Amino acid sequence: MRKFLIIACGLICLFTGTQAQKKNIDKVIAVLGSNIILLSDLNQQYAQYLNSGNPDNPAIKCYILQQILTQKLLKQQAEIDSIEVDESMVDEEVDKRMRYQIQKAGGQERLEQFLNRSVLQYKDEIRPDIKEQLISNKMQQKITQEVIVTPLEVKRYFDGYKKDSLPDIPTEFEIGEIVLHPKLTKAEKQKTYDKIDALRLRVKSGEDFAFLAKTYSEDTGSAPDGGDLGFFDRKQMVKEFTAWAFKLKPGEMSPVFETEHGYHILQVIERRGEQVQARHILIRPQTTPQSMERAKLHADTIYKSIADKKLPFSTGASLYSDNKDSQYNGGMLLYADQQTARTTFIPADKLDPKVFLVVDTMKVGEISKPVAFTEPDGKEGYKILYLKSKIPPHKGSLEQDYAKFKEQAQQEKTNRILSDWFEKRREDTYIRIDDEYSSCAELQIWTKNMTAKK
């Protein structure tokens, strides 16, 4: 079955072409209904493809043009169906993509040199195009929102495999964890408080907040952007952060305040209705040998209670674990790579290597003694691990791997429905593609009816 190329764009569709760059009349390379696609649209996306670190490959332009045509056809139907997106969603997506581009370019100044304009100017230019992408994505979701597969369809999908072509399933683990971070005393946190309060006073005395954020903030995601977090709403940040962000006026700065991530100072840049753009500086309190020892004693106590059958592991996780993602899931880890069907079965090669070294020597049903760990953000602590199950490598089977085959069957059905939808809309829509691109293999499904429509 022909695989349909889904509109959800990867790196090459981070930005679409901008109106501001069309200073001259561009060559029209495609027409779809009432929509025209200009050469500058294609070249702009190709430039962003290169800026994302990809090798020079002009042939990729055929793929980019296919993506643009797909988006235009979805947008055209979305207008008929009165599908819209909230402006706050558009703002959030613009900010997210700009942060990514700034990171890839190596900083805001380098990106502005590449764009030959300020980031603020470019955000205004790309906003309409990003809004169109979001509307198109929403239209696609509407087309496929009711797609479900029955157990019979899953079995038919599985039976479609030849016996010798069934996929090899690697070793998989089901693992629970109780995470314990050291709890610092007020005296232990005072040094951190004093450090960030000194930065607050430097801002008040006239120093640049963005420069200090770049130099001192321990939030690696926003520090390169001068602490700028872009626009966010009341649901996106922890409550203490949200409280100050929506209390302050543009230009005002908060006092030092604490969240689960550490100590912050925050400055509001702009307010748009229920969206705020703010920047912050984060300093994380450092663990001490004494706090780690207290955490170890706490972990030993919990371990003993579980080992002595006085405390179920799942209860221990809900009562004591600092991992909010698994705390109320019985402590069980979820396989994050799963898109549509989240599962607790994690392939061995996707596990944290330090976790794998521990559980690989455990028996099913065992719990580990407290293990010291350091998270990617530098946070230290102890983990108690529970090996619920371990499935050795095997050929895919419907009994053991039903969830995997169900997801694959659903994706195939979704692709088929999308392919049928696009086939029908292409037949009913006027489409013209410039001769330079009409021979692209990726565009044959778009050009096959052009002769009949002449």
Side-chain angles (χ1 to χ4, degrees):
M1 186 190 78
R2 183 180 70 245
K3 295 291 185 183
F4 179 75
L5 185 58
I6 298 178
I7 187 65
C9 296
L11 291 180
I12 66 168
C13 285
L14 282 170
F15 293 105
T16 58
T18 66
Q19 295 299 321
Q21 289 185 320
K22 299 164 190 164
K23 297 179 181 179
N24 302 312
I25 297 175
D26 277 323
K27 176 181 179 182
V28 176
I29 59 172
V31 179
L32 187 148
S34 61
N35 298 280
I36 64 169
I37 299 167
L38 301 174
L39 182 60
S40 64
D41 294 322
L42 185 60
N43 287 339
Q44 178 66 21
Q45 287 205 23
Y46 185 64
Q48 294 302 328
Y49 164 82
L50 296 175
N51 189 47
S52 296
N54 295 297
D56 189 6
N57 178 15
I60 205 72
K61 291 184 178 181
C62 293
Y63 172 80
I64 297 173
L65 183 53
Q66 182 192 17
Q67 290 281 6
I68 296 173
L69 288 165
T70 299
Q71 179 176 305
K72 295 294 184 185
L73 195 54
L74 284 165
K75 186 207 79 167
Q76 180 173 279
Q77 186 62 41
E79 291 173 349
I80 295 171
D81 292 355
S82 300
I83 290 177
E84 298 179 349
V85 294
D86 293 335
E87 296 301 322
S88 61
M89 291 178 59
V90 182
D91 290 334
E92 181 183 345
E93 188 66 18
V94 170
D95 289 334
K96 182 174 73 173
R97 297 189 187 193
M98 287 307 305
R99 286 196 296 271
Y100 175 83
Q101 283 296 306
I102 288 170
Q103 181 184 15
K104 293 297 291 185
Q108 182 171 325
E109 291 182 7
R110 292 187 64 181
L111 179 62
E112 288 178 338
Q113 290 174 357
F114 173 81
L115 297 172
N116 195 28
R117 57 178 49 76
S118 72
V119 163
L120 288 176
Q121 287 176 308
Y122 195 58
K123 284 170 70 173
D124 288 339
E125 293 170 7
I126 66 172
R127 195 176 188 282
D129 297 315
I130 290 179
K131 182 176 181 178
E132 181 179 297
Q133 288 183 19
L134 294 176
I135 290 172
S136 300
N137 290 343
K138 195 171 182 179
M139 183 66 233
Q140 178 173 298
Q141 291 166 9
K142 180 183 177 181
I143 298 167
T144 61
Q145 65 185 355
E146 296 182 1
V147 176
I148 59 171
V149 289
T150 65
L152 180 59
E153 287 175 312
V154 178
K155 186 176 186 306
R156 285 175 180 165
Y157 176 82
F158 177 81
D159 291 341
Y161 276 96
K162 293 181 180 179
K163 196 170 184 180
D164 59 356
S165 66
L166 284 167
D168 293 313
I169 308 297
T171 302
E172 293 181 313
F173 295 87
E174 274 193 301
I175 300 168
E177 67 174 16
I178 296 174
V179 178
L180 300 167
H181 295 303
K183 304 298 187 286
L184 301 180
T185 66
K186 186 175 180 179
E188 288 170 332
K189 292 191 284 188
Q190 188 63 44
K191 183 178 179 181
T192 305
Y193 181 93
D194 292 343
K195 180 178 179 180
I196 195 167
D197 192 48
L199 294 174
R200 182 186 66 83
L201 293 173
R202 288 172 67 177
V203 175
K204 290 197 73 174
S205 68
E207 292 193 53
D208 182 57
F209 191 109
F211 173 78
L212 294 175
K214 284 182 181 180
T215 308
Y216 297 105
S217 181
E218 295 175 9
D219 178 0
T220 55
S222 69
D225 305 331
D228 191 350
L229 297 164
F231 281 92
F232 54 88
D233 59 32
R234 295 178 186 272
K235 298 179 181 178
Q236 291 175 260
M237 302 294 182
V238 293
K239 61 181 182 180
E240 300 91 348
F241 200 95
T242 297
W244 280 110
F246 283 84
K247 180 179 181 180
L248 299 172
K249 296 177 182 178
E252 290 184 336
M253 181 176 60
S254 73
V256 175
F257 64 94
E258 186 179 10
T259 72
E260 63 194 63
H261 303 292
Y263 284 109
H264 310 253
I265 52 173
L266 174 152
Q267 187 179 59
V268 171
I269 300 171
E270 185 180 350
R271 176 85 178 263
R272 293 182 186 170
E274 286 304 298
Q275 289 252 316
V276 169
Q277 181 185 9
R279 54 190 170 204
H280 80 133
I281 296 174
L282 168 69
I283 304 294
R284 304 179 193 275
Q286 299 300 307
T287 57
T288 64
Q290 295 80 8
S291 66
M292 284 293 285
E293 183 60 30
R294 292 194 301 270
K296 176 67 164 58
L297 290 172
H298 188 205
D300 287 338
T301 301
I302 296 170
Y303 167 78
K304 189 173 188 310
S305 295
I306 296 173
D308 292 344
K309 311 296 183 184
K310 295 178 181 178
L311 178 71
F313 184 88
S314 59
T315 303
S318 64
L319 289 175
Y320 304 114
S321 183
D322 291 323
N323 184 341
K324 292 187 176 180
D325 293 331
S326 65
Q327 183 180 17
Y328 299 112
N329 186 40
M332 301 307 298
L333 300 178
L334 291 174
Y335 183 25
D337 283 3
Q338 294 295 311
Q339 297 292 322
T340 58
R342 302 176 77 191
T343 176
T344 54
F345 289 96
I346 307 174
D349 62 346
K350 300 295 183 181
L351 280 174
D352 180 329
K354 293 179 181 177
V355 171
F356 174 77
L357 286 175
V358 176
V359 299
D360 193 44
T361 60
M362 292 169 59
K363 295 179 181 178
V364 171
E366 279 188 344
I367 62 169
S368 72
K369 291 183 177 180
V371 180
F373 73 94
T374 302
E375 292 182 349
D377 63 3
K379 209 178 251 188
E380 297 178 285
Y382 286 90
K383 290 184 179 181
I384 301 170
L385 300 172
Y386 164 52
L387 181 58
K388 183 178 180 181
S389 67
K390 179 179 180 179
I391 301 177
H394 63 280
K395 283 286 184 183
S397 72
L398 202 56
E399 292 74 22
Q400 284 185 297
D401 308 298
Y402 181 85
K404 294 183 182 64
F405 288 109
K406 180 182 178 182
E407 183 178 14
Q408 293 173 19
Q410 178 145 345
Q411 187 60 60
E412 182 186 68
K413 187 174 182 179
T414 298
N415 288 344
R416 187 168 64 250
I417 287 172
L418 281 171
S419 182
D420 292 345
W421 186 91
F422 274 89
E423 186 69 25
K424 185 175 187 307
R425 294 305 184 280
R426 281 193 295 266
E427 290 176 357
D428 297 338
T429 303
Y430 177 79
I431 300 171
R432 292 292 301 158
I433 298 175
D434 187 87
D435 291 342
E436 183 180 352
Y437 299 98
S438 61
S439 60
C440 291
E442 294 89 343
L443 298 174
Q444 293 306 299
I445 56 175
W446 297 86
T447 60
K448 68 178 183 178
N449 294 322
M450 281 173 52
T451 302
K453 294 174 183 176
K454 286 184 178 180

